[in-house]
């Protein structure tokens, strides 16, 4: 018996016009006077974001099908010479036969992909009563793949109803295909860090547009509850985090993305010497060799066998259960008094903002902004304090300086020691008072 996907609340999307069209239309919509009032710095940030978005283009489009004799197989693709080996197991996740529809974010080499899957009952003995296909795309960046969600959903339904009709996909590829530089040096995989702080004050962080307007960050935080503070610390420490869940996969891909948001820092120069914290999104057994070489990542899987591959991850998340086999990390899974207080403040601020913003009819985006900014500001507060202490005549972390970071001098001592090691603050001294619990 098939189950319905629980993704419906996240997916009633409209395709968003390209950034350049929005930019052209905006002054007319706001009026010339309002357009002239934009600050020079705001204009620079917007121009930078538009240039960044223009580079996020489609490098491949494909159709994957499930064959009852041979399993998942690549049915069709453009361009024909694109290396899509293994994409058939990413676009149709293990266990997908149990849901009627799903969407999957994934990585394929240096590219990111989005595929929409659908499962349709058919009166066919050869197909064993069900036809399953997935239509997907690849891009140098994951942040704007959401634009094509509704198109892919529509196309996979057409492929199920009329297999073999690829002309809409051919036209889509010709219209959207990327013009990548031969060297590949300008391929962008994330929003420029120096545009982060200013852009979120102007509007929603561009990467957050991956989500439905109903927001996935708020659902993510409510799902994990207080445990979100544990995930926040592990993300800031750039640990390898693997999330297990049975299908549907789409909602879990959002959890991967939100984990990355917990570690955002907008202070220039911070984190440049630590491993990049990147989302792998959905992974399967074919990704094992790739994960073996990763120092820091967040990924999700539907394959329970990964739990046994303890050398591949530092933290394993099953439902709301966060666990680790690393002895040095086990104390970090316990909530400190400061963790509980931060979570209380976060939920209280959210409640107050919802009450206020409901009157203005914009509760969703306001709440999403709140959650992202809460962790961004917390992270900035930590590294701002560390920088000030490191530059002082007495570079010693005291109970007062740790409290200034929003941390618990005793309960967060181990987390702080890990943080100093990971980010290279080896010149800082730790007060003896912090060594007593």
């Amino acid at each position: 018996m098939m189950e319905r996907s629980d993704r419906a609340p996240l997916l009633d999307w409209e395709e968003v016009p390209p950034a350049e069209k929005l930019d052209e239309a905006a002054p007319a919509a706001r009026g010339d006077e309002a357009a002239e009032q934009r600050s020079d710095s705001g204009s620079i940030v917007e121009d930078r974001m538009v240039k960044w978005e223009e580079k996020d283009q489609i490098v491949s489009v494909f159709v994957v099908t499930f064959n009852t004799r041979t399993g998942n197989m690549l049915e069709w693709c453009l361009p024909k010479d694109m290396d899509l080996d293994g994409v058939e197991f990413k676009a149709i996740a293990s266990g997908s036969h149990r849901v009627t529809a799903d969407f999957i974010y994934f990585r394929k080499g240096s590219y990111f992909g989005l595929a929409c899957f659908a499962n349709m009952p058919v009166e066919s003995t050869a197909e064993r009563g069900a036809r399953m296909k997935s239509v997907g795309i690849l891009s140098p960046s994951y942040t704007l793949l959401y634009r094509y969600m509704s198109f892919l959903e529509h196309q996979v339904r057409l492929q199920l109803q009329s297999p073999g009709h690829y002309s809409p996909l051919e036209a889509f590829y010709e219209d959207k295909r990327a013009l990548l530089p031969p060297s590949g040096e300008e391929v962008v995989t994330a929003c420029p860090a120096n545009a982060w702080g200013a852009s979120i004050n102007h509007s929603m962080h561009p990467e957050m547009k991956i989500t439905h307007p109903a927001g996935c960050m708020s659902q993510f935080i409510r799902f994990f509850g207080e445990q979100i503070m544990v995930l926040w610390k592990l993300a800031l420490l750039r640990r390898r985090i693997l999330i297990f869940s049975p299908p549907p996969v789409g909602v879990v891909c959002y959890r991967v993305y939100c984990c990355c948001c917990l570690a955002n820092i907008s202070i220039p120069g911070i984190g440049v010497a630590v491993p990049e914290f990147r989302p792998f999104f959905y992974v399967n057994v074919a990704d094992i060799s790739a994960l073996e070489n990763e120092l820091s990542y967040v990924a999700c899987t539907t394959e329970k066998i990964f739990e046994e591959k303890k050398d591949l991850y530092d933290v394993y998340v099953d439902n709301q259960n966060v666990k680790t086999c690393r002895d040095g990390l086990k104390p970090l899974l316990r909530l400190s008094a400061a963790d509980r207080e931060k979570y209380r403040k976060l939920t209280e601020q959210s409640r107050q903002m919802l009450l206020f913003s409901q009157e203005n009819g914009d509760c969703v985006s306001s709440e999403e902004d709140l959650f992202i900014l809460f962790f961004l500001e917390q992270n900035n507060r930590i590294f701002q304090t560390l920088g000030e202490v490191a530059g002082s005549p007495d570079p010693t972390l005291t109970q007062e300086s740790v409290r200034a970071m929003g941390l618990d001098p005793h309960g967060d001592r181990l987390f702080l020691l890990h943080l100093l090691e990971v980010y290279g603050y080896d010149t800082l001294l730790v007060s003896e008072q912090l060594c007593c619990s």
Side-chain angles (χ1 to χ4, degrees), residues 237-360:
L237 293 176
R238 299 292 200 265
R239 297 303 176 182
R240 299 173 299 167
I241 302 173
L242 183 62
I243 304 173
F244 168 80
S245 176
V249 180
V251 175
V252 195
C253 287
Y254 284 159
R255 291 175 195 157
V256 168
Y257 168 77
C258 290
C259 260
C260 289
C261 289
L262 298 178
N264 278 322
I265 306 163
S266 64
I267 300 175
I270 298 296
V272 294
V274 299
E276 185 181 358
F277 195 56
R278 293 191 299 174
F280 254 77
F281 295 110
Y282 176 72
V283 295
N284 54 34
V285 291
D287 295 300
I288 287 177
S289 59
L291 294 179
E292 285 174 340
N293 298 317
E294 290 292 322
L295 299 174
S296 176
Y297 72 83
V298 191
C300 63
T301 187
T302 59
E303 300 182 7
K304 197 70 174 175
I305 191 172
F306 271 94
E307 187 173 8
E308 302 171 12
K309 308 288 185 181
K310 293 180 170 57
D311 57 325
L312 293 180
Y313 60 83
D314 299 315
V315 181
Y316 188 82
V317 182
D318 186 345
N319 203 23
Q320 285 110 328
N321 184 24
V322 182
K323 54 187 178 180
T324 180
C325 57
R326 307 276 180 265
D327 291 338
L329 295 180
K330 286 178 181 177
L332 297 182
L333 303 188
R334 294 194 294 267
L335 291 164
S336 68
D339 290 333
R340 290 193 166 91
E341 178 61 17
K342 276 195 282 288
Y343 183 75
R344 187 195 65 77
K345 286 181 179 177
L346 178 61
T347 52
E348 178 60 22
Q349 287 176 21
S350 174
R351 188 186 68 82
Q352 291 177 358
M353 178 168 281
L354 277 172
L355 290 174
F356 173 78
S357 58
Q358 279 171 352
E359 299 175 3
N360 301 317

Side-chain angles (χ1 to χ4, degrees), residues 184-195:
E185 292 178 359
E186 295 181 25
V187 172
V188 179
T189 57
C191 173
N194 54 0

Side-chain angles (χ1 to χ4, degrees), residues 80-95:
K80 297 299 183 182
D81 59 351
M82 186 73 177
D83 176 15
L84 294 177
D85 184 44
V87 79
E88 64 271 26
F89 299 108
K90 295 176 180 290
I92 299 182
S94 177

Side-chain angles (χ1 to χ4, degrees), residues 401-434:
S401 55
V402 173
R403 288 194 183 97
M405 298 179 198
L407 300 178
D408 182 335
H410 298 310
D412 287 329
R413 181 179 63 87
L414 183 62
F415 167 61
L416 183 58
L417 293 175
H418 277 292
L419 199 71
L420 297 179
E421 180 184 359
V422 169
Y423 287 86
Y425 286 93
D426 48 7
T427 59
L428 287 179
L429 304 175
V430 179
S431 168
E432 291 183 5
Q433 292 177 311
L434 267 64

Side-chain angles (χ1 to χ4, degrees), residues 175-237:
D175 182 51
K176 305 291 185 183
R177 66 176 175 173
L179 298 174
L180 300 176
S183 65
E185 292 178 359
E186 295 181 25
V187 172
V188 179
T189 57
C191 173
N194 54 0
W196 213 102
S199 66
I200 194 167
N201 292 324
H202 172 68
S203 61
M204 180 69 78
H205 176 355
E207 292 192 21
M208 278 306 295
K209 293 177 184 176
I210 193 174
T211 67
H212 180 268
C216 73
M217 194 71 178
S218 53
Q219 293 185 21
F220 173 68
I221 289 172
R222 292 189 183 102
F223 179 79
F224 283 105
E226 286 185 336
Q227 288 289 102
I228 201 70
M229 307 313 300
V230 172
L231 288 174
W232 161 65
K233 290 179 181 178
L234 295 167
L236 203 58
L237 293 176

